[in-house]
Amino acid sequence: MGEKSDTADASAKPGQTVPNMKTNMRLHHCKTLFIACSLSALVGGCVEAERTYSTLPPGVWRGVLKLVQVPVTPNPKGEPLPDKVNLKFEEVTAGELPFTFEVKYATPDSFYIELRNGEERILLSDISFGRNPATGQDTFLFRFPVYQAYLKGVFSENVLEGEWVDLTRDDYRIPFLARHGRAHRFTTLKKEPIADISGKWETYFETDTDKPYPAIGEFRQKGNYLEGTFLTETGDYRFLEGTVQGNKAYLSAFDGAHAFLFEAKILDDGSMIGGFRSGHRYQCAWEAKRNPDFTLRDPHALTLLKPGFSTFSFRFKNPEGREVTLDDPAFQGKVKIVQVMGTWCPNCRDESDFLVEYLRENPSDQLAVVALAFERFKDEARAMQQLKDYQKSMGIPYPILYAGPSDKKEAAKALPMLESVVAFPTLILLDKSNRVRKIHTGYSGPATSGYAAFKEDFSRSVQELLGE
């Protein structure tokens, strides 16, 4: 790993996700001198290297995640292929998800990577370079902050080529390619859009099934440039960025935990049909029409207590192995906020950022917060270590307990007073007697128009409980 630069602002957290971040991050020194056989499991062979400024060219890069390995189908007559007949929407990106990032140097030998999704900036400073003695190729490893994920591969002639790996999912790796000096996301074309799709859209995903689910599309278009998000009843799709070209619209996001790709066709009646890919294992169709009055169900009415229950309780271990309950002195006589979450979940991370900020700005010895984490790692020891790392990286001042695997049915079993666990995250507000006073399902984060309303409602609810 690189050394930390002492030229940057020490008040910032390494790898923190910050909108419109200026150069005030404590950086990792890119110069490395190591022999690391631990890296050999990732890139094949022991690595030894000494690299300085010239390791990675500064400036903008364009990357592409190859969500689909498209086979070449012989078709000399140009006839319609069987799998392309009667499609309402035909994908044209062939499953290539684009993203952009910038390599920024604070000094000639100290740099970091700034990953871009609309207004969001994700800083990667845990960076390693080396040389594979077996192949003679220069290798790299970029670890994402907070999430157990990384980009790794080889570097040559202003090109990075390798794969994105998510360690929280079984054998989850997606090929990627990045080239220096390319600033566009989807295309350099400037086709005149047939419409401005800015505004609010009534949307349904999985329209190719018998159980489509609702969402709200929020878009902001300026010429060809497009950004926005989708809100669902279990959370939002965070910061999306893309373009409108003629009668087609494209959006994507890549944050190290999720890879989202949206394509749409603008129809003559003004509605849209499209396709959505999340990584390389999920794909569905979606449809949307303008509707400024469309709403989703009340997030406070989705997760309910079972009949006969009024109070909340739990007994889970913290990363040190000690069982924690609401009978502990730290919770006695206090208003409690229980966060049902997972460290693998970007919406949960946004919510954690909000809670940390709220506690900092509203200190009270009558308020306690505890997180119940449902984790993807099957090994409990590994999950516990992830909780420690997450808490340290995020600067979380409240306890995080290991509650079980990241399965909603298992989560409901672990919390038997709930009829179901609908979403990660879920916030449960308890009064001083541990009675459930409010349950908020999902999260409308900073990429959505509902974020301000959520913060206002949360603050009002907590203050009312504190005043009782």
Side-chain angles (χ1 to χ4, degrees):
M1 300 301 171
E3 302 168 1
K4 292 181 180 178
S5 167
D6 56 10
T7 63
D9 182 1
S11 67
K13 294 182 293 183
Q16 184 181 15
T17 303
V18 185
N20 299 322
M21 182 69 182
K22 301 298 183 182
T23 307
N24 65 350
M25 176 60 67
R26 179 177 292 274
L27 308 177
H28 276 240
H29 197 294
C30 177
K31 184 175 180 180
T32 57
L33 177 60
F34 59 94
I35 300 177
C37 289
S38 61
L39 190 60
S40 65
L42 303 178
V43 296
C46 296
V47 176
E48 55 181 305
E50 182 172 0
R51 291 288 174 187
T52 56
Y53 178 91
S54 62
T55 301
L56 209 61
V60 179
W61 292 66
R62 179 180 187 264
V64 173
L65 288 173
K66 300 179 181 180
L67 305 184
V68 179
Q69 296 299 301
V70 181
V72 177
T73 304
N75 188 23
K77 296 182 179 180
E79 298 175 348
L81 299 174
D83 60 342
K84 300 296 183 183
V85 177
N86 298 323
L87 287 180
K88 292 180 67 175
F89 177 81
E90 183 175 341
E91 184 180 79
V92 298
T93 63
E96 288 193 344
L97 187 160
F99 62 98
T100 60
F101 59 93
E102 185 174 357
V103 174
K104 293 188 173 183
Y105 280 82
T107 69
D109 56 0
S110 178
F111 80 97
Y112 63 100
I113 292 172
E114 188 177 82
L115 189 63
R116 301 173 173 180
N117 293 300
E119 297 179 0
E120 181 182 51
R121 300 293 182 265
I122 301 173
L123 306 184
L124 283 66
S125 57
D126 191 346
I127 297 169
S128 300
F129 281 89
R131 179 174 289 272
N132 187 330
T135 64
Q137 292 179 307
D138 292 326
T139 62
F140 66 87
L141 179 66
F142 306 154
R143 295 190 181 276
F144 285 90
V146 179
Y147 306 121
Q148 292 292 309
Y150 55 81
L151 293 167
K152 61 106 171 181
V154 297
F155 165 59
S156 177
E157 298 296 330
N158 294 339
V159 174
L160 296 168
E161 186 171 12
E163 57 186 2
W164 166 47
V165 180
D166 184 345
L167 296 175
T168 68
R169 293 184 271 192
D170 293 335
D171 192 30
Y172 199 91
R173 54 190 67 235
I174 295 176
F176 92 97
L177 178 72
R179 298 182 184 276
H180 178 251
R182 302 188 181 186
H184 66 281
R185 197 172 187 100
F186 280 91
T187 179
T188 58
L189 297 176
K190 299 291 183 181
K191 293 183 180 180
E192 182 71 22
I194 68 166
D196 186 332
I197 65 173
S198 300
K200 186 176 180 180
W201 292 71
E202 177 181 350
T203 307
Y204 292 91
F205 287 97
E206 296 189 358
T207 54
D208 47 351
T209 73
D210 58 357
K211 292 183 178 180
Y213 64 90
I216 296 174
E218 294 184 343
F219 308 128
R220 297 175 298 279
Q221 181 182 341
K222 186 175 182 180
N224 294 108
Y225 183 76
L226 180 66
E227 63 179 356
T229 193
F230 291 94
L231 294 79
T232 76
E233 292 179 341
T234 59
D236 66 87
Y237 288 153
R238 305 190 75 255
F239 295 89
L240 304 175
E241 183 179 2
T243 185
V244 179
Q245 300 286 329
N247 67 342
K248 298 290 179 61
Y250 309 89
L251 288 162
S252 68
F254 176 51
D255 59 14
H258 284 155
F260 293 150
L261 174 63
F262 299 86
E263 296 183 62
K265 182 178 180 180
I266 306 169
L267 303 181
D268 292 340
D269 63 1
S271 65
M272 290 190 288
I273 59 173
F276 167 44
R277 289 186 182 272
S278 176
H280 66 334
R281 295 179 180 173
Y282 177 81
Q283 180 182 11
C284 77
W286 61 277
E287 299 178 5
K289 62 181 180 181
R290 287 186 186 275
N291 186 349
D293 300 319
F294 184 65
T295 59
L296 301 174
R297 290 183 295 174
D298 182 355
H300 298 107
L302 299 180
T303 304
L304 305 175
L305 284 174
K306 287 180 180 177
F309 285 88
S310 61
T311 60
F312 193 84
S313 63
F314 59 77
R315 181 181 295 273
F316 300 120
K317 291 180 181 179
N318 64 16
E320 287 70 40
R322 183 177 72 85
E323 285 193 337
V324 177
T325 74
L326 287 178
D327 294 328
D328 285 16
F331 302 118
Q332 290 299 302
K334 297 181 180 181
V335 172
K336 273 80 68 177
I337 301 170
V338 180
Q339 181 191 25
V340 180
M341 49 81 75
T343 63
W344 46 269
C345 163
N347 285 146
C348 301
R349 178 179 176 176
D350 286 342
E351 185 179 77
S352 296
D353 278 333
F354 164 73
L355 289 173
V356 170
E357 180 182 5
Y358 181 84
L359 293 175
R360 183 174 62 250
E361 296 178 352
N362 303 273
S364 172
D365 57 6
Q366 297 301 305
L367 177 64
V369 181
V370 59
L372 309 181
F374 292 87
E375 294 299 293
R376 282 178 172 171
F377 286 124
K378 295 180 176 64
D379 179 69
E380 183 173 323
R382 197 172 184 186
M384 289 293 196
Q385 184 59 51
Q386 170 61 5
L387 298 189
K388 288 182 181 180
D389 295 342
Y390 186 86
Q391 187 167 26
K392 180 179 179 181
S393 178
M394 296 283 290
I396 294 174
Y398 50 86
I400 305 178
L401 312 180
Y402 176 64
S406 61
D407 178 271
K408 292 176 184 177
K409 291 182 179 179
E410 292 299 318
K413 291 179 183 178
L415 303 172
M417 70 290 300
L418 301 180
E419 286 191 347
S420 62
V421 173
V422 178
F424 301 110
T426 295
L427 272 185
I428 304 171
L429 272 61
L430 311 179
D431 64 16
K432 297 174 183 179
S433 299
N434 297 337
R435 291 176 298 179
V436 177
R437 303 296 291 273
K438 208 167 194 177
I439 303 178
H440 186 280
T441 301
Y443 192 67
S444 296
T448 74
S449 64
Y451 185 51
F454 164 78
K455 291 195 296 182
E456 182 180 347
D457 177 80
F458 175 87
S459 180
R460 182 175 58 251
S461 298
V462 171
Q463 292 306 313
E464 288 175 356
L465 290 176
L466 289 171
E468 292 182 353

